[in-house]
Amino acid sequence: MALQTPADDVLLHADGLVKRYRRTRRSEPFTAVDGIGFAVRRGEAFGFLGPNGAGKSSTMRMIACVSPASAGTLRVLGHDPAADGALIRSRIGVVPQDDTLDAELTVRENILVYGRYFGLPRRAVRGKAAELLEFAQLTERADSPVENLSGGMRRRLTIARSLVNDPEILLLDEPTTGLDPQARHALWDKLFRLKRSGITLILTTHYMDEAEQLCDRLVVMDHGRIVATDTPAGLIGRHSTPEVLELRFHPGAQSVMAEKLADLAVRTEVLPERLLLYTADGRTTLTRVLARNADPLTSLVRRATLEDVFLTLTGRTLVD
Amino acid sequence: MNAPALREFSYRMIRYRRTWRGTAVVSIANPLMFLLALGGGLGTLVDRNGPAALGEVSYVSFLAPGLLAAATMQTAVLESTGPVYESVRGRGNYRAATATSVQPFHLYQGHLLFIAFRATTSALAFVTVMLAFGLSRSPGTALALVGAAALTGVAFAAPTVAWAVGVRRPSSLDSAFRFVVMPLYLLSGTFFSVDQLPAAVRPLAWATPLWHGVDLCRAISLGTGRPAMTIVHLCCLVALTVTGCAVGRTTYRRHLHP
């Protein structure tokens, strides 16, 4: 289309979005998502980073139109989930956090059944299934039951299944949680390929390396709120120094040492096992620390990561 | 019933392709054993004491249609509890299917349709055994029996499915079976006429939905049906089905789109 306005490019838009749950009919409502706003453009890879219970999955369920918003506005592909949920769902793909494959059916049958739920013609789904199995490198396993598959294979199948309706947006809730490093990297490769093909990726993660690898832009969530929005590099630049010096002292000595060394760093952070010194130049800072005869048990200079951003913003680590 | 509901039905059928042989054996063996043991064994004792209490019919003729209704109810409730619970809490398909363009109520409809299919086929197997025992008067009667039993099954399945979608613990399913299904099975006139109950409890038996199914099947089988009573039975069973559907519409939405 020649006349594409920028507004057409915003596939996802939220403003003041709230989700409240009641555990039982009589209990007090619990606020999982507390008034968040964001916008995602076509072709972006957009991430929600935060610890468990931050409200990421609740947000994803609202975007996936399987959980009505309690307040605020949400537009997905220009439509209102409250009115056009089924229509929106027919144009998005969902990779849920937990495995919802049918373990008794074969790999291929799982895709066929899922395609049929979208009302796609039998013949079309057959062709699509072959193509997706190829993409997920599961062609050889097409006719074996899902229960014989490894965790990584199951996740690849779940992703393949989510693509059966040629979605414009793919929602991935903790896509690599529980996978070994090799399977994670294999999965990231698949997601890069999808992104290059033009699919908009929305993902949640509590892995900072995953967020840095996959996301063009991300929001950091904590207690149902968004505490920062930017590119991964932008977040690190804004909320952390370029480098971090990690020091380990005898148990219990970290806070004492933090006070002694505070003037050497822009900011210090005391963790149960480690002392973090935020600084522009880790090596120089380490030299100064050693010059004071501080004698750490171990020391490590590293680049700042999103973990540090999260620590700065919330005072807590991502993975407890 | 509409197209999206049929997608859930066809998923259930794909799964059933793997297990139908086992259920077919059970559907035949179950009535065979019950009719042999209770009809043949116990029936001989009952008949010896004078069949007047049963309206001048043999015990096995009296028992078979009641057992048909009760067994179909049992099959329908079994299909309405575990599989529905698994579809929500276990690695079931509801959570996967809700991400597609189907709506929660479509899943309810499609699953109920599958249970109706299971109730019908197991009733068909039961009636086939009755025919083999010479317990059905004509093919027309046999067909009417299948229909009445299947309706009894669906009347139980509709509210049970609506309830099971919100169940949090599998022990609740067991309790429902122990405290609702078994008492109904035993006390709704399956094994004896409710007229033999003390007068005070009799209205209680009339109020149980299974009694309507049992009495309907028995009236068809023995040819003792009165039009007014038949209409009452049909209305009760249909009302239970419709109520179940109305509740299911709400519970499925509430639990699958929380």
Side-chain angles (χ1 to χ4, degrees), chain B residues 45-237:
Chain B
L45 286 176
V46 176
D47 293 340
R48 206 174 291 162
N49 282 310
L54 299 175
E56 300 298 333
V57 297
S58 66
Y59 182 63
V60 70
S61 312
F62 174 86
L63 172 72
L67 208 51
L68 164 69
T72 311
M73 168 201 74
Q74 200 173 19
T75 302
V77 172
L78 274 176
E79 287 283 348
S80 307
T81 45
V84 171
Y85 175 85
E86 273 300 308
S87 296
V88 190
R89 308 277 156 189
R91 283 203 175 146
N93 78 308
Y94 281 177
R95 279 173 303 139
T98 45
T100 71
S101 49
V102 298
Q103 301 282 19
F105 191 46
H106 298 140
L107 297 176
Y108 174 85
Q109 292 172 316
H111 205 153
L112 187 61
L113 186 63
F114 173 74
I115 296 164
F117 165 81
R118 286 281 293 117
T120 308
T121 49
S122 69
L124 194 64
F126 198 113
V127 172
T128 308
V129 173
M130 283 173 68
L131 281 169
F133 275 71
L135 291 172
S136 185
R137 292 175 295 127
S138 69
T141 311
L143 270 185
L145 270 179
V146 172
L151 175 61
T152 308
V154 172
F156 275 90
T160 309
V161 171
W163 165 73
V165 74
V167 167
R168 290 173 193 275
R169 284 184 307 273
S171 59
S172 308
L173 304 177
D174 297 338
S175 303
F177 219 82
R178 214 165 287 150
F179 298 117
V180 180
V181 174
M182 280 323 283
L184 283 179
Y185 193 93
L186 293 171
L187 301 173
S188 296
T190 314
F191 300 96
F192 52 87
S193 168
V194 292
D195 295 336
Q196 283 157 281
L197 290 171
V201 245
R202 234 174 280 159
L204 223 65
W206 292 332
T208 63
L210 181 59
W211 177 75
H212 293 281
V214 166
D215 205 55
L216 181 64
C217 286
R218 188 164 289 148
I220 292 169
S221 184
L222 302 178
T224 55
R226 284 168 298 155
M229 211 53 213
T230 304
I231 289 170
V232 169
H233 291 328
L234 288 175
C235 284
C236 282
L237 294 174

Side-chain angles (χ1 to χ4, degrees), chain B residues 30-50:
Chain B
N30 213 31
L32 206 59
M33 289 192 296
F34 266 91
L35 290 180
L36 279 176
L38 295 178
L42 184 65
T44 321
L45 286 176
V46 176
D47 293 340
R48 206 174 291 162
N49 282 310

Side-chain angles (χ1 to χ4, degrees), chain A residues 19 21 23 25 65-68 86 89-90 92 94 98-106 109 113-114 116-119 154 161, chain B residues 4 7-8 10-12 14-15 17-19 90-93 95-104 107 168 254 256-258:
Chain A
K19 183 67 199 182
Y21 291 107
R23 285 239 162 269
R25 195 106 30 109
C65 308
V66 293
S67 176
R89 290 197 302 274
S90 72
I92 63 176
V94 176
D98 47 353
D99 188 346
T100 60
L101 297 166
D102 189 323
E104 286 166 40
L105 299 188
T106 66
E109 281 173 329
V113 163
Y114 201 70
R116 294 289 297 147
Y117 273 121
F118 282 103
R154 278 169 181 244
R161 184 180 73 165
Chain B
R7 297 172 200 162
E8 171 67 11
S10 90
Y11 164 74
R12 295 284 155 194
I14 289 173
R15 282 185 64 98
R17 275 207 310 240
R18 277 151 215 278
T19 54
R91 283 203 175 146
N93 78 308
R95 279 173 303 139
T98 45
T100 71
S101 49
V102 298
Q103 301 282 19
L107 297 176
R168 290 173 193 275
R254 193 188 302 144
L256 300 182
H257 281 182

